[in-house]
Amino acid sequence: MSALTVEDRLLLTDLVHRYAVLVDGWDAAGVAGLFLEDGVLVSPDPPQTLDPVVEHRGRAGVERAIAPITTLGTSVHAITGTVLDVGEAPGTARGRVTCSAHHLTRRGDTWHDVTWVVRYRDDYRRTDEAWRFARRSASLSFLESRTVRAVREGPAFG
């Protein structure tokens, strides 16, 4: 196995950050396009479990999984760490990514921020076009809820 090139690292970092930006932009189809045709997104089911337990298969499944983001007032995903390693097969890589995901909703006149501290385990595959997610598995370290004073509503980067 050879090491990841600097270019591969930059492209994989862009993929990870593009995922966050597209989620915050409420672009579920765009997020799904970052996955291989047969890619898998595995999500937790909070507050019942913080472990990755719900599988969403294929781009259509990923799109359905991301679509509920539009029911929020807004969201902000902040990547806090990324570690990338060469995969077991040529043209593959693995990643460990940490993220704080703020999900803002209004209850009456009060805005609430439910923050998920997420740890992603990623498997990536290089295609002729770009690096894509083969599998992205999200577990939560913890959930936090608090009120906030003001919110700019709607999709970010929209």
Side-chain angles (χ1 to χ4, degrees), residues 32-116:
L34 300 177
F35 284 75
L36 296 171
E37 287 288 340
D38 62 349
V40 177
L41 173 65
V42 189
S43 303
D45 188 18
Q48 289 78 12
T49 180
L50 304 182
D51 297 322
V53 294
V54 182
E55 282 199 0
H56 311 279
R57 295 192 162 275
R59 288 183 177 160
V62 171
E63 187 171 350
R64 281 190 302 276
I66 299 299
I69 198 82
T70 63
T71 65
L72 300 175
T74 195
S75 67
V76 177
H77 287 69
I79 307 298
T80 56
T82 304
V83 175
L84 302 166
D85 296 304
V86 68
E88 294 183 16
T92 66
R94 302 187 109 175
R96 291 168 289 160
V97 178
T98 54
C99 169
S100 292
H102 298 267
H103 305 101
L104 291 108
T105 58
R106 186 187 343 225
R107 292 185 215 133
D109 291 335
T110 306
W111 282 99
H112 294 270
D113 174 8
V114 177
T115 303
W116 295 12

Side-chain angles (χ1 to χ4, degrees), residues 2-56:
S2 62
L4 291 171
T5 66
V6 171
E7 180 182 9
D8 285 333
R9 289 181 180 283
L10 289 171
L11 292 170
L12 287 164
T13 299
D14 182 72
L15 175 67
V16 166
H17 284 266
R18 192 166 299 279
Y19 177 97
V21 167
L22 289 171
V23 170
D24 290 340
W26 295 355
D27 186 350
V31 172
L34 300 177
F35 284 75
L36 296 171
E37 287 288 340
D38 62 349
V40 177
L41 173 65
V42 189
S43 303
D45 188 18
Q48 289 78 12
T49 180
L50 304 182
D51 297 322
V53 294
V54 182
E55 282 199 0
H56 311 279

